[in-house]
Amino acid sequence: MKDWNVKSKKVLIRVDYNVPMDENGVITDDTRIAKSIPTLQSLSSKGARIILMSHLGRPLKALLPDGSIDKTKFSLAPAAKKLSELLDQKVEFATDCGGEDSISKIEKLQDGQILLLENTRFYKQEEKADPVWAESLSKLGDFYIHDAFGTAHREHATTATIARFFDKEHKAFGDLMKAELENAEKVLNNPTKPFTAILGGAKVSDKIELISHLMDVCDHILIGGGMAYTFFAAQGYDIGKSLCEEDKKDLALSLIAQAKEKGVKLVLPLDSIAASTFSNEANTELTHDVSVPDGYMGLDIGTRTIKVFKEFILSSKTIIWNGPMGVFEMEKFSHGTEAIARAVAEATYKGCFTLVGGGDSVAAISKFELQDDVSFVSTGGGAMLELLEGKELPGVEAIRS
Ligand code: AMP
């Protein structure tokens, strides 16, 4: 991308502006828009005419009672406005994606100007990876850039199929995508040891492939969050009303055995904050060990666990963190996740390379305002998870092939 002569050329960029909005269409977190700016500024300063495509939500899964698309709720118009504010430059908006309005606004684009097209998912062809639609969109630009890491694991028309219609000299990754891939590849292919993975979140079933894959590269795997209780139940401990995936108990045991075989330390919590109900008003107690009393549920890691996890974290040289240690959205059960976030930040200051990836751990690190105190915060939940699982992403393959 850096060597392209883009002056007066039309550059199509797939960005990820799938940002959260409140009921009034006000964007509540503009991180993804802000992170797309370096690529836009570098192309705009070279005189490119920029055409942006993105999806927002799942409009075809939330049709109005009359069967039509809710074009107000799922419109990208607020994203165009937000981008315009962040860039301090007018951003044009087309009310369709590849239709009459797009074509007429593209014709009027001047060098350095930016146009955002309406939600790609207003068209059923997007998720079907329709080659005819993808080809017609490809004709809108001279170059194609993939900078939507958050959707790189989807094989959709604007994230993968469209790239087929550009040769290698006319397609590339944007700066954000490049940074995401370089950081993931750095930890997976060339980690400085000791390498520790911190995994949490609700379900072990979502993280099986991740745990298995990480066993080949990590020295330590620290497991917290709701998924720890399936491991405890499998080992025969009482876990009260804590989360448990009965059908994954055998698998939990086999992961423990695999870790032993491979010489990887799989570290489970030593204690929990147990709660009488799933609520911030619940009665709570710190358990003595991994068992959770009858009628209670484990909703956070306890103080002994924090101490042990911190020791592993502070002695590591590479860390990846995916998934919170407890129900961090409720103040009462946020302390474990906060303590781990602070330890990860401290490790970063001591020279450890730290990558936080996966939706909820990113939300957690932002909640504690530590996003600038770690080495890299990924913008892609599912995409980062699949990369760390060792999978090739369709959006990446489309550019590289
Ligand atoms: P995931 O999307 O699998 O990473 O899970 C994130 C969710 O797991 C967050 O919304 C947390 O509130 C939830 N979570 C973390 N720990 C627990 C726990 N011990 N019990 C129930 N839910 C939990």
Side-chain angles (χ1 to χ4, degrees):
M1 180 183 107
K2 298 271 182 276
D3 304 329
W4 288 348
N5 178 5
V6 291
K7 181 149 176 54
S8 305
K9 292 282 196 293
K10 289 172 284 182
V11 182
L12 263 176
I13 312 181
R14 180 53 159 95
V15 288
D16 181 8
Y17 289 173
N18 185 30
V19 288
M21 291 184 195
D22 67 16
E23 56 285 356
N24 302 315
V26 176
I27 294 170
T28 52
D29 180 356
D30 62 16
T31 311
R32 286 178 163 176
I33 299 177
K35 294 231 179 183
S36 73
I37 286 179
T39 301
L40 304 186
Q41 279 179 330
S42 103
L43 290 164
S44 170
S45 68
K46 289 182 188 164
R49 301 175 179 190
I50 298 171
I51 305 150
L52 302 176
M53 300 179 291
S54 176
H55 76 284
L56 174 68
R58 300 186 147 206
L60 295 175
K61 299 246 157 59
L63 296 174
L64 292 168
D66 68 359
S68 64
I69 293 172
D70 188 341
K71 292 199 169 171
T72 309
K73 184 174 171 195
F74 293 103
S75 174
L76 277 169
K81 195 163 159 265
K82 176 57 79 178
L83 177 63
S84 172
E85 281 165 28
L86 294 174
L87 282 169
D88 199 16
Q89 170 183 341
K90 188 165 192 309
V91 172
E92 303 293 333
F93 181 69
T95 54
D96 56 26
C97 179
E100 268 176 35
D101 197 41
S102 301
I103 292 165
S104 98
K105 286 192 170 134
I106 289 169
E107 271 169 15
K108 290 190 196 112
L109 269 184
Q110 301 295 307
D111 292 359
Q113 283 191 334
I114 300 174
L115 167 73
L116 172 63
L117 308 186
E118 185 54 287
N119 195 343
T120 57
R121 287 200 190 158
F122 282 180
Y123 302 79
K124 61 181 183 317
Q125 296 97 319
E126 166 72 325
E127 291 182 68
K128 290 193 168 141
D130 184 275
V132 176
W133 193 58
E135 184 172 17
S136 76
L137 290 176
S138 75
K139 301 230 161 73
L140 301 177
D142 304 299
F143 294 92
Y144 170 75
I145 289 179
H146 196 324
D147 210 17
F149 182 68
T151 52
H153 59 315
R154 308 260 183 237
E155 182 146 15
H156 291 168
T158 64
T159 61
T161 323
I162 191 170
R164 277 194 229 153
F165 304 100
F166 293 87
D167 63 25
K168 277 205 156 187
E169 282 66 47
H170 292 82
K171 61 181 171 183
F173 296 124
D175 290 330
L176 172 63
M177 185 86 160
K178 198 164 159 269
E180 294 272 7
L181 295 175
E182 281 172 1
N183 282 293
E185 282 164 11
K186 180 171 168 176
V187 296
L188 290 177
N189 300 338
N190 198 16
T192 313
K193 302 271 186 159
F195 180 8
T196 300
I198 310 165
L199 307 179
K203 290 183 180 169
V204 69
S205 51
D206 293 341
K207 311 272 160 98
I208 293 163
E209 285 183 66
L210 180 64
I211 300 173
S212 296
H213 187 68
L214 289 177
M215 276 196 204
D216 294 326
V217 282
C218 287
D219 303 293
H220 315 123
I221 301 181
L222 316 182
I223 293 190
M227 67 194 235
Y229 298 95
T230 299
F231 286 86
F232 295 143
Q235 290 172 313
Y237 292 104
D238 293 325
I239 58 161
K241 293 191 291 180
S242 307
L243 269 188
C244 177
E245 290 174 275
E246 286 294 333
D247 59 331
K248 293 291 173 296
K249 278 164 50 177
D250 286 345
L251 199 115
L253 291 179
S254 91
L255 287 171
I256 293 172
Q258 258 184 63
K260 233 185 216 140
E261 226 167 77
K262 294 188 172 169
V264 176
K265 256 201 157 78
L266 189 89
V267 191
L268 290 162
L270 304 168
D271 54 4
S272 302
I273 303 295
S276 53
T277 55
F278 191 81
S279 135
N280 207 26
E281 276 71 53
N283 296 323
T284 59
E285 61 179 69
L286 173 63
T287 62
H288 302 296
D289 54 28
V290 301
S291 307
V292 176
D294 242 13
Y296 276 70
M297 58 187 91
L299 295 185
D300 197 5
I301 51 173
T303 43
R304 281 171 60 214
T305 311
I306 292 174
K307 189 164 173 285
V308 170
F309 279 15
K310 256 180 98 170
E311 282 165 14
F312 279 105
I313 290 168
L314 294 178
S315 65
S316 298
K317 286 275 175 272
T318 306
I319 289 177
I320 55 169
W321 180 18
N322 179 297
M325 297 290 101
V327 185
F328 73 100
E329 299 92 336
M330 298 184 200
E331 207 277 330
K332 251 186 185 164
F333 313 109
S334 65
H335 304 297
T337 304
E338 180 170 4
I340 295 311
R342 295 205 180 281
V344 171
E346 196 181 331
T348 315
Y349 282 105
K350 287 174 66 185
C352 175
F353 181 81
T354 53
L355 186 154
V356 183
D360 270 320
S361 31
V362 173
I365 205 117
S366 309
K367 178 174 173 175
F368 306 122
E369 295 182 358
L370 292 167
Q371 64 274 32
D372 297 327
D373 299 280
V374 294
S375 309
F376 191 72
V377 179
S378 174
T379 52
M384 182 50 81
L385 198 62
E386 290 197 18
L387 262 192
L388 296 177
E389 286 169 356
K391 293 184 183 150
E392 180 82 65
L393 310 184
V396 174
E397 169 121 44
I399 297 293
R400 284 188 177 151
S401 61

